[in-house]
Amino acid sequence: MSSYLDFSIGLLTTKPDGASLANNLQNYIAHVFSESSEQDIHLKVRNRGLLGDATNVPVFSDTLHQALEGMTGYQRGSNHVSHIGMLIADSFEPAPNFFGLMFDEAFAPDSSDPWAWTPREGCAVFLDGIKKARPGSSWMEEAIFTAVHELGHVFNLQHNEAPSFMTQTAAKGPIPLNDALFTPIERRLLSCCSTSPFIWPGGSAFSDLGGMVDDPISASSANRPAVHLHIGASQDTFWAFEPVELDLRLTARNKRSTLIPDALDAGYSEFTIWIDQPNGERRKLRSPRHYCAPRGTLRLASGEHFERDISIFGQAGGYTFVNAGIHRVWCEFSYSPTRRVVSNMLELEVKSRAPTSKYWQDASTLLEEKHTAQLLYYRRLNPERRVRTERLQHFIEAYRRQPTTPMLHYALGRAFAQEALSLHRTGAAIRDARHHLKAAAKNGQLGDHRQHLAENVLRKLG
Ligand SMILES: [Zn+2]
């Protein structure tokens, strides 16, 4: 048995280099995957060229998901997809140095059914990040390597040491294409594609290999960590649709300063958010994207800390918390190949539906609406989300004292600020950003970290 898969390559850049990369990949990539899988994987490559009106916009994670769905069609609900895709873009706005990434299903709250999630459907390659790191003509070789690497993730391959295609060359330096290969274990996994949902795209979640290989991290966890990881939540009792943030604080424990990868996000393989559900089942928060190399490194002096927040109410496919009840949440951070730190554990209570409460009726109707929910999760505006802001503003005015209201102000303020600080800045966006961030920062309900962030953005807005 073998696996026939439609594989589309699409361009989100008008630069000629994007088209030459797509041409170079057309035969090469099908050959590599066929040869490395003992002819189990047959890619029917379709070079789709420039993807319509999706060009010349800044590329974010949700832009990629929309462009991918445009190529592969709507495949949600299928765990055996027939179509996968690769996007070639100039750069990834949130991290312009990235070479590429693999993405799971976007956060889309109309589907909280875990069986409706479609993981590992596509990936992206970013020309600017590659060219900056590999000047001259060597960028093309790195771009081809990156394309094979990202597609390897789509087949659920994890990072590996050189000279594998699964080496993180953005962090570890280039590998000439002539030396690059899939290791015997990777080849064995690829050759199971037609028979295993853990390899076939759309099958299991990324990094869930169903015990096909040992987990290398869990074998080496005995060291005393050099950092301390503390987590908190913006609310510990909430409904599943309310925007809840996880606050992380990483503190150095050593006398000397400590270098750690800047990878505190569920999109990095170094960082995992674990959730114990009320029924006892344990799972990982599923990031809508998978990054291949840390953004950089963080240097923490003794006693110094680093803070950030992560939206945890949504994940790839839909809402994170599906059932009411107590959820235990904690994080694990592998900050070096042999060392990791485990955070404290939070108990978060997801409230039951309350159909007799007027607030619940209004809140669930408004906040569960797909575009409104995406506005709160991605904190960015697009035309569909912009038309929803007015209703959200009325809702906030009507329910000023609800515990989730400061977070709604915060998300709206960040979304308007993102626009106000971009090329398309307008007076209205600046005014709305200031109004919501000020309202959010009032009364100290945001927590220290978000409070500082809100104040910083307000300063930038002038
Ligand atoms: Zn990778």
Side-chain angles (χ1 to χ4, degrees):
M1 199 160 111
S2 64
S3 330
Y4 284 89
L5 266 167
D6 282 318
F7 174 52
S8 284
I9 304 175
L11 298 174
L12 294 177
T13 170
T14 48
K15 293 190 188 135
D17 287 339
S20 3
L21 174 60
N23 282 336
N24 284 338
L25 290 176
Q26 191 146 2
N27 296 319
Y28 180 81
I29 209 153
H31 170 76
V32 168
F33 278 87
S34 162
E35 191 274 328
S36 307
S37 65
E38 291 165 16
Q39 283 80 50
D40 193 69
I41 298 174
H42 291 281
L43 295 176
K44 286 188 278 179
V45 184
R46 290 211 248 157
N47 203 334
R48 308 281 286 253
L50 199 59
L51 298 178
D53 54 357
T55 52
N56 301 322
V57 292
V59 169
F60 291 89
S61 147
D62 50 344
T63 346
L64 292 172
H65 280 108
Q66 277 165 22
L68 177 73
E69 198 168 287
M71 292 198 301
T72 60
Y74 188 80
Q75 302 189 101
R76 185 172 296 163
S78 163
N79 62 2
H80 199 82
V81 302
S82 57
H83 207 141
I84 55 176
M86 175 179 289
L87 298 159
I88 299 173
D90 288 327
S91 78
F92 183 55
E93 197 78 6
N97 59 338
F98 278 3
F99 288 10
L101 58 78
M102 194 281 288
F103 36 98
D104 262 358
E105 192 76 337
F107 166 63
D110 50 356
S111 154
S112 54
D113 173 5
W115 302 108
W117 295 337
T118 306
R120 299 188 284 108
E121 228 184 317
C123 55
V125 177
F126 304 112
L127 302 176
D128 291 355
I130 294 172
K131 283 182 172 175
K132 219 172 126 201
R134 312 278 183 259
S137 56
S138 64
W139 75 268
M140 179 59 90
E141 206 161 312
E142 183 69 73
I144 295 172
F145 181 96
T146 302
V148 178
H149 174 105
E150 299 306 333
L151 199 56
H153 284 315
V154 172
F155 291 99
N156 218 352
L157 298 184
Q158 310 294 301
H159 287 147
N160 204 346
E161 294 308 313
S164 163
F165 274 117
M166 299 318 292
T167 305
Q168 293 157 284
T169 52
K172 296 181 178 166
I175 297 174
L177 268 188
N178 277 337
D179 300 342
L181 44 78
F182 284 112
T183 64
I185 290 172
E186 290 158 354
R187 295 169 70 93
R188 180 174 65 79
L189 292 172
L190 291 175
S191 72
C192 298
C193 185
S194 59
T195 52
S196 170
F198 297 104
I199 305 303
W200 185 276
S204 64
F206 179 64
S207 86
D208 176 5
L209 282 156
M212 289 174 83
V213 288
D214 298 330
D215 174 6
I217 303 248
S218 43
S220 59
S221 56
N223 300 307
R224 178 184 180 274
V227 288
H228 178 77
L229 179 60
H230 182 83
I231 63 170
S234 58
Q235 281 170 255
D236 50 19
T237 305
F238 49 84
W239 280 298
F241 53 78
E242 292 184 303
V244 176
E245 299 280 322
L246 191 67
D247 298 321
L248 310 174
R249 172 185 281 221
L250 196 67
T251 316
R253 289 161 61 147
N254 282 355
K255 289 225 170 66
R256 289 173 295 123
S257 65
T258 309
L259 269 185
I260 51 154
D262 184 358
L264 288 165
D265 181 303
Y268 296 100
S269 49
E270 289 86 350
F271 193 83
T272 307
I273 299 173
W274 289 102
I275 299 167
D276 278 353
Q277 303 186 135
N279 64 6
E281 195 184 311
R282 176 169 297 179
R283 62 187 168 89
K284 291 178 182 180
L285 182 87
R286 291 188 48 210
S287 174
R289 65 241 148 217
H290 163 73
Y291 304 133
C292 282
R295 219 182 284 251
T297 47
L298 301 167
R299 182 182 290 279
L300 283 180
S302 178
E304 216 175 47
H305 57 250
F306 171 81
E307 291 179 315
R308 70 153 303 180
D309 55 359
I310 295 174
S311 292
I312 50 158
F313 68 106
Q315 61 171 3
Y319 284 116
T320 304
F321 303 103
V322 179
N323 302 310
I326 301 283
H327 291 70
R328 292 191 178 81
V329 174
W330 78 101
C331 302
E332 214 174 273
F333 180 38
S334 300
Y335 58 93
S336 90
T338 55
R339 302 196 144 203
R340 66 173 173 167
V341 60
V342 177
S343 77
N344 56 309
M345 187 182 277
L346 293 180
E347 287 202 345
L348 302 179
E349 188 191 351
V350 179
K351 294 195 274 185
S352 306
R353 294 159 45 86
T356 55
S357 141
K358 173 87 166 69
Y359 175 73
W360 183 87
Q361 289 169 14
D362 290 353
S364 60
T365 309
L366 178 68
L367 304 183
E368 282 187 338
E369 189 277 319
K370 178 178 167 186
H371 297 288
T372 310
Q374 287 182 329
L375 164 63
L376 300 175
Y377 182 77
Y378 291 109
R379 295 180 200 141
R380 293 202 310 109
L381 295 174
N382 64 17
E384 290 91 354
R385 296 173 202 164
R386 194 171 290 107
V387 297
R388 267 91 180 170
T389 55
E390 204 175 319
R391 258 189 89 194
L392 198 51
Q393 286 166 325
H394 287 309
F395 177 81
I396 292 175
E397 286 308 313
Y399 291 108
R400 284 181 202 202
R401 292 182 190 284
Q402 288 293 335
T404 206
T405 299
M407 292 306 297
L408 297 176
H409 273 301
Y410 179 72
L412 266 173
R414 292 284 304 271
F416 281 119
Q418 200 270 326
E419 188 169 82
L421 297 169
S422 76
L423 289 175
H424 317 290
R425 63 185 294 153
T426 63
I430 297 173
R431 193 195 59 222
D432 285 335
R434 293 174 60 99
H435 166 72
H436 288 295
L437 288 172
K438 275 186 181 166
K442 206 170 59 184
N443 305 332
Q445 301 160 98
L446 284 181
D448 288 348
H449 168 65
R450 259 182 309 281
Q451 187 79 23
H452 290 153
L453 241 165
E455 286 165 8
N456 270 340
V457 178
L458 277 168
R459 261 194 299 278
K460 276 193 215 163
L461 291 165

